[in-house]
Amino acid sequence: MIVLNQGKELVRVESWDDIVGRPGFNGNLNPAEHVLSGIIGQYAFADRIRCGLSDCHRPHGRGYLVVTKSGVETNIGKDCGKNYFGVDFETMATQFDRDMRDKQARERLWDFTFKLDELKQRIKALRTGERGADWVYKNSRPLVESGKGVPGVVIRRIADLLRTGDSVLTTEREPTEREIDLARVQGSRPPRVIVEKVADIRGLEALQSQNDLRQIMVVDLEEGIKEFEPLDVDTMKSTELSRWSKWVGRIEQKLDSAAAAISSGQALLAPANLQPFAILIPNFEAPETFRAYLKTLA
């Protein structure tokens, strides 16, 4: 890939032949006879390109296109530039790299502005669709927040499962006399409790903090859009360009994460999937409140 920095725009050139064919290009430039004027581009190839300095000619995978004060152009690697042109080259390379990052970020952000309406529609569809993000977030809160219709014993067990990364719901009971006798016959210590599997619970990952749909859809995306929209991309400083370019670069990943969290949440909130937790609820914790909660999910 070859990128030329031409004024306010970046020009991408696919073929090295297009560079060699430029009127001022010299692939055998003697650095002792020239003074560096500036850096006009950079390149990166899997196949290495021979350095354009007559004192070097070593192949480089990455490098810069430079122009001298006499208008001659050539290609050099970063180390060659520093060795032959000293501090001037290092200063120019640092500035060039910053300018390239800024221009690439501006290009990305300008391209993004034309896709804002489409993004808003995608977010709306994910949030308000049937059993979408809003539905999943609202109906999953009782499973992690007390006082919303789900008994504390269920909330605590779900918290335990999330902490351990397990998805198997189990119960404990005292061993029967037969189980105690069997252990003794086998030469084992009698068990204090017997752990029995109740069910595999699907979709618990929807409750993990990284899958918080309000954080993804509202805080990260919608509030980010509101903050970005009034900004002027052309006047952004390097730090702003870097920040917003990174934010834009994460949008698709966030949308994918949201879609996956919605799917997991739908599986989790199926009444039949949560019904097994009822076995944990003692009478004094009002099991009817959990039944009422499950009915709201049907």
Side-chain angles (χ1 to χ4, degrees):
M1 180 188 70
I2 310 161
V3 182
L4 300 179
N5 186 358
Q6 296 187 349
K8 290 189 175 183
E9 64 176 340
L10 299 176
V11 177
R12 290 167 175 81
V13 181
E14 295 300 324
S15 171
W16 185 250
D17 291 338
D18 293 333
I19 298 299
V20 175
R22 288 168 66 89
F25 188 84
N26 181 352
N28 192 39
L29 184 139
N30 185 346
E33 298 176 355
H34 293 270
V35 177
L36 189 64
S37 174
I39 298 175
I40 60 173
Q42 64 180 188
Y43 61 90
F45 289 101
D47 296 329
R48 294 173 176 266
I49 303 296
R50 194 179 77 155
C51 179
L53 298 182
S54 60
D55 293 358
C56 179
H57 287 327
R58 288 178 301 173
H60 300 297
R62 305 172 65 88
Y64 294 94
L65 299 170
V66 300
V67 62
T68 67
K69 289 190 175 180
S70 59
V72 180
E73 299 176 3
T74 195
N75 65 294
I76 58 177
K78 191 166 188 176
D79 290 340
C80 292
K82 181 170 63 175
N83 292 337
Y84 288 100
F85 295 108
V87 175
D88 286 346
F89 175 82
E90 291 187 277
T91 302
M92 290 179 186
T94 299
Q95 184 62 49
F96 178 85
D97 290 344
R98 183 184 300 115
D99 289 344
M100 286 287 289
R101 286 194 300 270
D102 287 355
K103 287 184 178 181
Q104 288 169 341
R106 282 189 217 281
E107 281 189 350
R108 167 180 265 186
L109 295 179
W110 272 120
D111 183 61
F112 171 69
T113 59
F114 293 110
K115 299 176 181 177
L116 265 174
D117 289 341
E118 176 190 348
L119 174 60
K120 291 177 184 178
Q121 289 302 314
R122 292 173 67 187
I123 293 172
K124 181 179 179 181
L126 285 171
R127 287 193 61 184
T128 63
E130 184 178 1
R131 295 182 180 254
D134 289 357
W135 182 88
V136 169
Y137 182 81
K138 175 185 176 182
N139 288 286
S140 64
R141 291 307 87 196
L143 297 173
V144 292
E145 298 174 7
S146 60
K148 295 188 175 182
V150 173
V153 65
V154 174
I155 294 174
R156 290 190 294 274
R157 180 59 64 87
I158 288 175
D160 289 341
L161 292 173
L162 290 173
R163 184 171 57 254
T164 61
D166 199 357
S167 62
V168 178
L169 178 64
T170 61
T171 58
E172 295 181 355
R173 62 171 176 81
E174 293 183 357
T176 64
E177 289 296 329
R178 183 175 181 280
E179 289 167 333
I180 293 173
D181 291 342
L182 180 60
R184 287 171 176 162
V185 168
Q186 294 174 340
S188 303
R189 178 180 297 178
R192 292 186 176 182
V193 296
I194 300 296
V195 178
E196 294 181 326
K197 176 179 176 178
V198 177
D200 290 305
I201 306 300
R202 295 178 295 117
L204 283 169
E205 62 273 12
L207 301 177
Q208 294 171 342
S209 59
Q210 67 267 28
N211 293 323
D212 185 322
L213 285 166
R214 183 183 181 280
Q215 179 66 40
I216 297 172
M217 304 300 291
V218 178
V219 178
D220 294 346
L221 293 178
E222 290 188 336
E223 291 185 7
I225 289 172
K226 289 178 183 177
E227 186 180 353
F228 174 80
E229 280 188 301
L231 300 178
D232 184 348
V233 173
D234 284 335
T235 61
M236 284 186 184
K237 298 185 182 299
S238 292
T239 53
E240 293 176 293
L241 289 167
S242 176
R243 175 200 168 191
W244 286 108
S245 181
K246 290 176 182 177
W247 177 76
V248 169
R250 292 191 293 264
I251 286 176
E252 286 301 323
Q253 181 267 326
K254 288 185 179 297
L255 291 171
D256 289 343
S257 295
I262 292 168
S263 180
S264 296
Q266 291 169 344
L268 172 68
L269 296 172
N273 187 55
L274 295 175
Q275 176 60 41
F277 283 103
I279 197 173
L280 305 178
I281 306 172
N283 288 333
F284 67 83
E285 284 212 41
E288 65 274 7
T289 62
F290 187 60
R291 290 194 293 270
Y293 165 70
L294 294 181
K295 286 182 180 180
T296 67
L297 304 177

